[in-house]
């Protein structure tokens, strides 16, 4: 059994995982979702000039000639009301619309207030401390592009613009089947957490007996099917048998380590990824194959969803040619210290690691002292 | 009104936000939660030696003398059953316990199988392709420390070890009050999303009229109270008035920009952070003050929850002395391009930005060409 180069498997998976269709959702629930269409501002925002600071709104023209030697008095009108005459001022709060008749704001700390009369010690320019209409966005501005993964501030801007529902890619529905023979269901737990991370919907993993596997695969009802366990090349190759009965095995075996017994195929029109049941292999095969598929369906960046940093290796990494390998590393004194390579079993290396280094199929590894890219399990390292 | 240095405000907030007590949760729901106690392995894992590859288990001793010129035959016993005699082998799958009587595994691809008889062409060493008992963890090993924020792989390792419930810090309950005068509730939406990001529980923000604010503050029922809006120093200082009636304003005004009208205090024993209602100021004041409080209560790292990268400024950043300032930047051709500083209003700069640069109170900014730390809104840049 010669495993297929992982790039070929990704090409096939990519061909089967186009971005899903859209749906309208409330802006309040849209953070992290992907826009299916650009968003243009329906109107200027702010709609009219607004105060940039807490202070007093007045007509700038009337402050001409004010100085320390010639403080000008401005009787204070009621807050928010139009400034009644060129010689008066009105209290205004940062962000509030400018009262009619005023075109500048004098900050609270720059004036003295005596018996309801403001003393102004310097002239103001028209527009001073005023946010002009349309400062955030102008009517018609395309302020969010299709494909944007919505951030908290995006949702806030949509809200102040009065947009309450927006079109986003629907969340991929991912079914996870776990072969019952696997002792404790670490695989299902991991895969479900990771599907959520990647923007998919994932109900509880379904535990399935070998005999029921074909039926479970054929049942469909999802955008992507992940099967954990039974991926072996030997006597435990239940997944491939069941998949070939329920549909088609397209690539059996993928040149990644850990995880080379992974497979991909199709069951009733649904793409299927078979992940090995040994937890560390489950994890890496998920990350290389399935996570990418989920992110593509969700309209997200298909690349690795980890922050990176560059670090110099404190020991060499040896790796086999022909396979994409994952070497867990710890960051020690700013250096990357390899924990293990070519070991498909010790999940505890992931627990002890800060991240991992990828070794390309064309590489036999890296010498001590090489600067490498570390993918970080936690973003802040 | 002289705002208080933000470090003094943080010191006070820190004194009021010790890590919360613990609760037991299912491992399946514990990813992202903080351990209150270290976890020691209850037993060796694997409990007994296991196969490291798909292949055939046999006693290494019996392969002595095998070579290309002298292939040794091993009749195959039933899968998983004890190897019945030194001269026989049993099929075994990667990760499965070694059958009794076998101490080595010959990989599938290294043998030939003829009519149920294996041909072995090279001698095996004892332990070859076998995962020894306790390879992941040994009984009593402290494999997770108190304070660990649980990752997916940690949960998987706990699961394979048979641990189903673990002690974690309970999630901080955060109430968000929004002053009704704020036009559209962008602030409540943002704050709620960010509380979730930081590990807190946050029901829907409560919209409150000025007159009802004191009662709402006094009601408690949470670990932290956030009030959005009404923070002004001028005519809109409803928050400070209500807080001083319901409890105590400890610091009014914080030397951060945007956000200097933020306040902190206490209402009936619950720490309160008052956030300005202007969205960009809400966002920065949340990040400096409230987010840290939520993360501390949740037992997480109190530092900034953003990935960082170093980048050279393509234009200078000017900033006022005495305040912590937030300057949004875009990453353009690997350089950091400032979008705005000292502007508490244009939320759209956050939408356009890739991240932000902090300017310390002791700094007047950075010259063009300076290498600075950029906090990234998305981790992958």
């Amino acid at each position: 059994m010669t495993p297929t180069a992982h790039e070929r498997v990704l090409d096939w998976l990519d061909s089967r995982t186009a971005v899903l269709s859209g749906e309208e959702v409330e802006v309040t629930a849209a953070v992290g979702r992907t826009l299916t269409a650009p968003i243009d501002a329906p109107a200027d925002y702010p709609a009219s000039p607004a105060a940039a600071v807490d202070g007093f709104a007045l007509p700038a023209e009337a402050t001409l000639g004010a100085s320390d030697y010639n403080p000008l008095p401005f009787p204070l009108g009621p807050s928010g009301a139009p400034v009644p005459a060129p010689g008066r001022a009105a209290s205004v709060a940062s962000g509030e619309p400018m009262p009619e008749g005023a075109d500048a704001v004098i900050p609270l700390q720059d004036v003295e207030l005596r018996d309801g009369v403001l003393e102004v010690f310097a002239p103001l320019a028209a527009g001073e401390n005023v946010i002009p209409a349309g400062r955030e966005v102008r009517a018609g501005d395309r302020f969010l592009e299709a494909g944007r993964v919505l951030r908290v501030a995006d949702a806030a801007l949509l809200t102040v613009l009065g947009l309450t529902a927006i079109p986003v890619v629907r969340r991929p529905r991912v079914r996870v089947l776990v072969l019952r023979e696997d002792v404790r269901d670490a695989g299902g737990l991991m895969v479900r957490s990771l599907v959520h991370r990647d923007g998919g919907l994932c109900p509880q993993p379904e535990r399935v007996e070998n005999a029921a596997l074909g039926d479970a695969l054929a049942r469909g009802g999802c955008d992507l099917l992940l099967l954990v366990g039974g991926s072996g090349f030997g006597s435990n190759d239940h997944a491939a048998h069941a998949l070939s009965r329920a549909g088609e095995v397209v690539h059996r075996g993928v040149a990644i380590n850990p995880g080379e017994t992974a497979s991909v195929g199709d069951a009733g029109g649904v793409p299927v990824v078979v992940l090995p049941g040994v937890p560390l292999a489950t994890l890496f095969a998920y990350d290389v194959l399935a996570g990418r598929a989920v992110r593509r369906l969700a309209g997200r960046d298909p690349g690795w969803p980890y922050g990176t940093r560059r670090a110099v290796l404190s020991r060499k990494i040896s790796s086999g040619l022909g396979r994409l390998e994952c070497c867990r590393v710890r960051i020690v004194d700013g250096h990357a210290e390899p924990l293990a390579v070519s070991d498909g079993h010790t999940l505890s290396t992931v627990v002890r690691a800060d991240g991992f280094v990828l070794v390309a199929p064309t590489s036999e590894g890296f010498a001590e002292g090489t600067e490498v890219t570390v993918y970080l399990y936690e973003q802040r390292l």
Side-chain angles (χ1 to χ4, degrees), chain A:
Chain A
M1 179 75 48
T2 306
T4 311
H6 78 282
E7 295 96 335
R8 284 193 56 205
V9 180
L10 292 184
D11 284 347
W12 180 83
L13 257 184
D14 285 359
S15 77
R16 294 299 310 277
T17 48
V19 57
L20 295 172
S21 57
E23 62 182 0
E24 290 261 314
V25 300
E26 294 288 312
V27 168
T28 48
V31 172
R33 302 290 292 273
T34 308
L35 287 177
T36 56
I39 310 272
D40 299 337
D44 284 1
Y45 187 79
S48 64
V53 295
D54 290 341
F56 300 94
L58 37 68
E61 205 177 37
T63 63
L64 214 67
S67 75
D68 283 345
Y69 306 102
N70 182 37
L72 294 182
F74 286 79
L76 208 54
S79 168
V83 175
R88 307 199 80 174
S91 168
V92 75
S94 170
E96 281 182 356
M98 288 291 286
E100 220 173 289
D103 64 355
V105 178
I106 185 157
L108 217 51
Q109 61 269 27
D110 292 357
V111 293
E112 282 182 24
L113 194 58
R114 280 194 194 125
D115 300 330
V117 175
L118 220 64
E119 297 207 315
V120 174
F121 299 93
L124 289 170
E128 197 165 333
N129 296 314
V130 173
I131 305 163
R135 168 76 177 277
E136 291 271 15
V137 285
R138 295 194 168 281
D141 274 359
R142 176 147 301 178
F143 67 99
L144 292 172
E145 297 290 340
R148 170 84 162 195
V149 177
L150 221 67
R151 301 188 203 149
V152 169
D154 301 347
L157 190 53
L158 289 163
T159 301
V160 296
L161 283 166
L163 296 163
T164 52
I166 52 164
V168 296
V169 177
R170 73 172 173 77
R171 297 182 71 183
R173 292 160 304 155
V174 181
R175 272 178 68 208
V176 177
L177 307 180
V178 178
L179 261 190
R180 202 175 191 97
E181 60 176 346
D182 288 296
V183 204
R184 288 159 176 153
D185 184 21
L189 181 163
M190 281 196 295
V191 167
R192 188 176 189 220
S193 288
L194 295 169
V195 168
H196 288 157
R197 175 197 72 184
D198 290 322
L201 289 171
C202 186
Q204 282 293 348
E206 304 159 43
R207 304 209 101 182
V208 184
E209 307 279 358
N210 280 334
L213 193 51
D215 286 349
L217 285 168
R219 209 175 299 132
C222 59
D223 303 302
L224 179 68
L225 229 161
L226 305 179
L227 169 55
V228 183
S231 70
F233 295 143
S235 56
N236 61 339
D237 58 349
H238 310 293
H241 281 155
L243 182 52
S244 66
R245 284 194 308 272
E248 183 194 1
V249 178
V250 175
H251 292 291
R252 179 151 183 220
V254 182
I256 58 176
N257 187 35
E260 73 169 0
T261 60
S263 300
V264 296
D266 174 286
V270 175
V272 179
V273 180
V274 178
L275 302 168
V278 173
L280 180 57
T282 312
L283 192 59
F284 190 58
Y286 175 90
D287 258 351
V288 174
L289 305 171
R292 176 186 175 95
V294 177
R295 291 191 298 277
R296 283 179 54 84
L297 291 165
R300 294 194 180 183
D301 182 334
W304 289 83
Y306 296 101
T308 59
R309 62 173 278 181
R310 301 282 292 170
V312 168
L313 285 174
S314 61
R315 278 206 317 275
K316 74 167 179 178
I317 293 178
S318 300
S319 166
L321 275 177
R323 298 188 298 188
L324 177 72
E325 301 225 9
C326 171
C327 176
R328 277 76 65 204
V329 299
R330 289 198 315 159
I331 303 288
V332 180
D333 300 331
H335 284 63
E337 179 183 286
L339 289 173
V341 72
S342 307
D343 183 332
H345 293 86
T346 47
L347 186 63
S348 59
T349 57
V350 182
V351 173
R352 294 205 312 278
D354 294 312
F356 59 92
V357 170
L358 292 175
V359 187
T362 51
S363 165
E364 294 187 81
F366 302 104
E368 180 186 329
T370 310
E371 190 179 279
V372 295
T373 295
V374 179
Y375 293 85
L376 297 167
Y377 291 125
E378 279 168 32
Q379 66 178 329
R380 296 191 55 254
L381 273 164

